[in-house]
Amino acid sequence: MVSTKIVVAGGFGAGKTTLVSSVSEIPPVSTEAVMTEASREHDDTSITPDKVTTTVAMDFGRLTLDQELIMYMFGTPGQARFWFMWDDIVRGAVGAVIVVDPRRLADSFDAVDYFEKQQSIPYVVALNKFDGQLDYTIEQIREALEIAPEVPIVDFDARDRRSAGGVLTCLLEYAISRPKSGELVG
């Protein structure tokens, strides 16, 4: 039995906890806490007014891909005040999914920058379609977030198990296809 670790990252309220919850075969471990008035001055809920909780440490889920491979998913908190944990959460990961709320692209800049600097960790960008549609094309979003052409960008619905599973499949295929350190490219 082989296990692998992936990270689910992104901005505040983008759908990270929902993605982990929708695909995990075990009840996900979640560190959701009720948002207080003190956090409201730091966390913009104008687009997500029904959001009343937030991740304060990490989410954890598990998915058995086949008899030989188990995937462990670690979801990061999205707010800047919790970013000090990201290096520890990311250590040992084979890849990352950056969940993006396409209505709030600016909230994703820091997560994209983080994984751009962690060049040893392949990542994909997953556009969470909250209202069932995208207001911009994938290429417009790629340009706005300055995502390299080789990085996959997919749209999905974090609430839908099959759709969220497709994002994980995309990440694993991309991670496997990348040259390993010391491997010749060409």
Side-chain angles (χ1 to χ4, degrees), residues 6-63:
I6 66 140
V7 173
V8 178
F12 168 73
K16 302 173 297 294
T17 299
T18 304
L19 185 153
V20 171
S21 298
S22 72
V23 296
S24 182
E25 66 194 17
I26 62 170
V29 176
S30 180
T31 58
E32 290 284 295
V34 175
M35 294 174 59
T36 65
E37 282 303 312
S39 72
R40 296 243 183 243
E41 70 182 56
H42 300 287
D43 303 327
D44 180 8
T45 58
S46 61
I47 299 219
T48 56
D50 296 332
K51 184 166 180 58
V52 295
T53 62
T54 189
T55 302
V56 295
M58 69 176 184
D59 298 312
F60 174 79
R62 183 184 78 198
L63 182 60

Side-chain angles (χ1 to χ4, degrees), residues 58-129:
M58 69 176 184
D59 298 312
F60 174 79
R62 183 184 78 198
L63 182 60
T64 302
L65 299 175
D66 63 32
Q67 291 183 353
E68 299 297 320
L69 182 60
I70 294 176
M71 176 189 300
Y72 294 104
M73 299 167 284
F74 291 80
T76 65
Q79 301 94 321
R81 65 184 177 277
F82 298 120
W83 287 344
F84 67 91
M85 293 186 262
W86 279 35
D87 288 340
D88 289 330
I89 293 172
V90 168
R91 188 173 294 115
V94 298
V97 173
I98 300 175
V99 180
V100 173
D101 180 344
R103 304 167 301 179
R104 299 178 292 139
L105 291 179
D107 291 354
S108 304
F109 291 154
D110 292 318
V112 170
D113 286 347
Y114 180 88
F115 287 99
E116 280 291 313
K117 291 176 182 155
Q118 299 286 333
Q119 293 182 6
S120 63
I121 301 173
Y123 72 92
V124 299
V125 174
L127 308 172
N128 192 3
K129 298 189 299 188

